[in-house]
Amino acid sequence: MFVRRKRNASGSFSVQIIRKVGRINKVVKTLGSSSDERELDTLERQARLEIDRLQGQATIFSREKDESLTSMLSTISNNEIELVGPDKILGHVYESIGYERIGIDELFKELLISRLVYPGSKLKTIDYLARYKNKEISVYSIYRYMDKIHKEFKEKVEEITFEHFKDVLGGRIGVVFYDMTTLYFETPDEDDLRKIGYSKDGKHQHPQIKLGLLVGPEGYPLGYDIFEGNIYEGYTLIPFLESIEKKFLIGKPIVIADAGLLSNSNIQALIDHGYKFVLGGKIRNENREIKEAIQPLEIAEDKPREVNKGGNRLIISFSKKRQKKDEYNRKKGLEKLEKKVKNGKLDKNSINNRGYNKYLKLESEVKVAIDYRKYEMDAKWDGLKGYLTNTDMNPNEVIGAYGDLWQIEKAFRISKTDIRVRPIYHRIPKRIRTHICICFVSYAVFKELERLLKIKKVAFSANRAVELTKNMYQIRVFLPESKTYTTVPLKPTDEQQELISAIMKI
């Protein structure tokens, strides 16, 4: 007798016990059918046991083996089942970047891996280490550790990160993208670093710091810096660029940044320091002279135009999608103003150029009204976008370069959602700096994982890969004959095996 898989019309397989009688195969028993490989393996094992039973080979020794295996498995405790996926996959990526050269102990790697697989407060980190790594460590030990490593650590991290991704980008950094975000604290207290200021996240009542991030093409991290919470972001760019240039001899790459850096003083500073740039801006905020130069131009989606602005080129593009968005936002802004005017919540001090308040006017000495003529005239700027540059790139190249700025927006989104760099629960500046450093390395590991998966043409995302590592375990078992312990990895799923093959062979 033997076991056979028979393909069914539905595409599934039936597992059968076959007896050969002469030249004819007769079905003795059908154990079941499935299209799942694991279920088919189980059915085949059951079929082989059934053959033994039918042939009279089931003996007391088979039962003794079963009982012995059952007894052995019953002795395995929770602390002998270990999560190994994060260390195996993410730890390998960490080492491939070169972070082991930092020269500190394993705790740092464990802190950043937990930031990727189990992000949250340090209390959550110690819960992760205890539950999945069988390591008992107090939160105070982590705090003392963060205090110890904060000083020289940032420079080493930046150096290793920069050199690695410089190699990835072919040994030359021609374009960099810069942006800044606010990170708030779950505390009402200010200090020299944490200041209450304008928050992009609407957390104006919370003390905050500002994080400046420099990335290259594809969003690969190059460097970061931390600034006081109340500093204007336009004042941060030049010091940051000079710091990176001095440390890594980066030269003068083209700087791509958003409208927050579009001020005359900042533009002049970039020019004075020899930088080429592409800065985004809103056409409707330009002065009358520039607007009058733009008005007669025929600008279509495939037909950008340019005008001179202070010796630099202002590229103007048009997008129907942007036009619809601008029109929608204008209408919503007007509706809010109308409600405030109707409820008498506005006075003459409300008449300014802040947002949609520019549509207000004073009808008498005290009555505030809406100037609908301004509202209608503003519609002609819907869909237009400006790009100020001193490069010699053609208009489409400028627009394309600025379009890649979404990579840094993605970097901040990953940091805030997947790595959860905010909110920050620390209050001591050196711990804050170490926390940001850990998050920066976590982001670098995430981006490298993403890159490696892309090289190997793996179908799933980096986020999915991180999820897969959370269910990769091994069992620590005692071998009675040799009186020693060994570890046995649990069989990976098909996706997990694909991840292991893609990453571990790099």
Side-chain angles (χ1 to χ4, degrees):
M1 287 188 285
F2 60 92
V3 178
R4 180 180 74 178
R5 282 191 192 186
K6 180 184 177 184
R7 181 182 288 275
N8 301 316
S10 64
S12 64
F13 289 89
S14 293
V15 176
Q16 301 172 329
I17 297 174
I18 303 297
R19 175 184 284 119
K20 197 172 186 68
V21 180
R23 295 184 176 183
I24 300 173
N25 289 334
K26 290 190 174 182
V27 178
V28 176
K29 187 174 184 180
T30 299
L31 278 294
S33 63
S34 177
S35 57
D36 182 81
E37 186 63 32
R38 287 191 172 189
E39 291 180 5
L40 291 170
D41 285 344
T42 302
L43 290 171
E44 287 179 345
R45 284 196 295 271
Q46 292 173 355
R48 283 190 286 271
L49 289 172
E50 182 65 10
I51 289 173
D52 288 343
R53 188 187 69 78
L54 293 171
Q55 292 177 336
Q57 294 176 0
T59 66
I60 189 170
F61 300 107
S62 298
R63 290 194 295 273
E64 286 178 354
K65 288 179 181 179
D66 289 348
E67 290 171 2
S68 175
L69 178 61
T70 303
S71 175
M72 182 193 73
L73 291 174
S74 68
T75 64
I76 297 174
S77 61
N78 284 340
N79 61 8
E80 289 173 320
I81 302 175
E82 300 174 340
L83 178 66
V84 295
D87 279 348
K88 184 172 187 175
I89 300 300
L90 302 176
H92 182 78
V93 176
Y94 171 93
E95 292 171 3
S96 73
I97 294 174
Y99 287 126
E100 77 283 356
R101 301 201 311 269
I102 295 170
I104 57 176
D105 54 43
E106 286 290 300
L107 181 56
F108 179 78
K109 182 165 73 171
E110 289 171 345
L111 288 176
L112 81 90
I113 289 176
S114 71
R115 177 63 44 185
L116 286 166
V117 300
Y118 201 49
S121 67
K122 297 303 177 289
L123 290 173
K124 284 191 174 182
T125 299
I126 62 173
D127 180 52
Y128 162 78
L129 292 174
R131 186 183 303 181
Y132 299 112
K133 301 283 292 177
N134 297 318
K135 291 186 178 181
E136 297 291 339
I137 184 170
S138 73
V139 69
Y140 300 105
S141 296
I142 291 179
Y143 288 156
R144 287 193 294 271
Y145 180 76
M146 293 176 73
D147 292 344
K148 180 181 72 173
I149 68 172
H150 88 282
K151 286 184 179 178
E152 77 283 359
F153 193 61
K154 178 180 183 292
E155 288 189 6
K156 291 181 180 179
V157 160
E158 274 192 323
E159 179 183 348
I160 291 170
T161 306
F162 181 88
E163 289 301 325
H164 174 77
F165 287 108
K166 181 182 176 183
D167 288 343
V168 167
L169 292 169
R172 181 176 176 273
I173 308 294
V175 176
V176 295
F177 302 85
Y178 178 77
D179 202 358
M180 174 172 282
T181 191
T182 54
L183 303 175
Y184 62 89
F185 294 80
E186 289 295 344
T187 174
D189 302 321
E190 293 185 271
D191 54 32
D192 290 342
L193 180 60
R194 300 176 300 170
K195 298 287 186 182
I196 291 176
Y198 172 73
S199 172
K200 296 181 179 180
D201 305 313
K203 301 285 184 177
H204 306 292
Q205 74 278 18
H206 291 255
Q208 63 186 25
I209 59 173
K210 289 192 174 177
L211 172 65
L213 183 63
L214 194 72
V215 305
E218 302 295 326
Y220 297 136
L222 301 177
Y224 75 96
D225 215 341
I226 303 169
F227 303 91
E228 292 84 357
N230 59 354
I231 193 172
Y232 167 57
E233 64 181 278
Y235 297 153
T236 65
L237 176 59
I238 297 301
F240 190 13
L241 288 173
E242 288 188 316
S243 172
I244 294 292
E245 181 183 352
K246 182 178 179 181
K247 280 189 285 190
F248 305 126
L249 302 176
I250 194 175
K252 301 289 185 182
I254 297 172
V255 180
I256 317 290
D258 71 4
L261 297 162
L262 191 62
S263 68
N264 291 332
S265 59
N266 229 33
I267 293 167
Q268 192 58 51
L270 283 166
I271 294 170
D272 290 344
H273 288 81
Y275 287 100
K276 298 292 184 181
F277 57 82
V278 175
L279 304 177
K282 294 182 178 179
I283 297 297
R284 68 181 77 237
N285 293 341
E286 292 290 349
N287 60 42
R288 188 175 66 181
E289 182 182 352
I290 295 296
K291 286 183 176 180
E292 288 177 351
I294 293 172
Q295 269 187 321
L297 299 177
E298 294 182 6
I299 305 169
E301 282 202 289
D302 59 347
K303 199 175 181 181
R305 291 287 184 260
E306 65 178 85
V307 297
N308 181 280
K309 181 182 177 181
N312 299 307
R313 300 160 62 213
L314 180 63
I315 312 296
I316 306 102
S317 72
F318 172 78
S319 162
K320 288 182 179 179
K321 183 178 179 181
R322 191 188 303 123
Q323 183 184 38
K324 289 181 180 179
K325 181 181 177 183
D326 290 345
E327 184 179 2
Y328 173 81
N329 289 336
R330 227 169 15 90
K331 186 177 179 181
K332 294 294 289 185
L334 179 67
E335 289 172 352
K336 289 180 181 179
L337 278 182
E338 287 175 331
K339 287 181 181 180
K340 290 180 180 179
V341 169
K342 184 178 179 180
N343 296 332
K345 292 184 177 181
L346 300 176
D347 57 28
K348 63 181 181 181
N349 293 322
S350 304
I351 301 174
N352 51 53
N353 285 321
R354 296 176 193 161
Y356 296 106
N357 282 9
K358 63 187 176 182
Y359 300 143
L360 297 175
K361 66 179 180 179
L362 200 62
E363 284 192 336
S364 63
E365 290 187 3
V366 293
K367 185 179 179 182
V368 175
I370 295 174
D371 189 339
Y372 287 95
R373 187 181 64 86
K374 281 186 179 179
Y375 171 77
E376 296 296 338
M377 288 179 63
D378 213 26
K380 62 188 173 185
W381 306 111
D382 289 349
L384 295 181
K385 173 76 176 178
Y387 312 88
L388 188 70
T389 184
N390 62 346
T391 69
D392 57 4
M393 293 190 293
N394 68 51
N396 287 321
E397 288 174 335
V398 169
I399 295 167
Y402 186 86
D404 287 337
L405 194 62
W406 69 270
Q407 292 283 2
I408 200 164
E409 294 170 357
K410 180 183 176 184
F412 282 131
R413 186 170 64 252
I414 291 170
S415 298
K416 291 176 180 179
T417 57
D418 300 310
I419 299 173
R420 296 189 193 173
V421 65
R422 64 173 191 184
I424 301 174
Y425 297 92
H426 303 291
R427 60 179 181 83
I428 299 175
K430 54 189 176 184
R431 291 180 192 169
I432 294 168
R433 296 182 188 281
T434 301
H435 169 76
I436 300 298
C437 190
I438 290 170
C439 291
F440 178 76
V441 175
S442 299
Y443 173 68
V445 169
F446 184 90
K447 289 300 294 183
E448 180 66 1
L449 172 63
E450 188 178 68
R451 186 183 75 86
L452 296 176
L453 293 175
K454 186 176 180 180
I455 289 174
K456 291 293 184 176
K457 299 181 180 179
V458 174
F460 47 80
S461 67
N463 281 318
R464 176 60 180 161
V466 172
E467 286 298 315
L468 290 172
T469 68
K470 297 179 184 179
N471 292 297
M472 296 168 66
Y473 292 92
Q474 69 180 16
I475 300 175
R476 185 169 176 263
V477 295
F478 180 73
L479 302 177
E481 292 294 328
S482 58
K483 307 296 183 183
T484 59
Y485 279 95
T486 188
T487 56
V488 180
L490 299 186
K491 184 180 178 180
T493 65
D494 291 343
E495 274 190 313
Q496 288 171 339
Q497 186 57 57
E498 186 178 7
L499 175 61
I500 292 167
S501 299
I503 300 303
M504 301 307 294
K505 293 182 180 179
I506 296 293

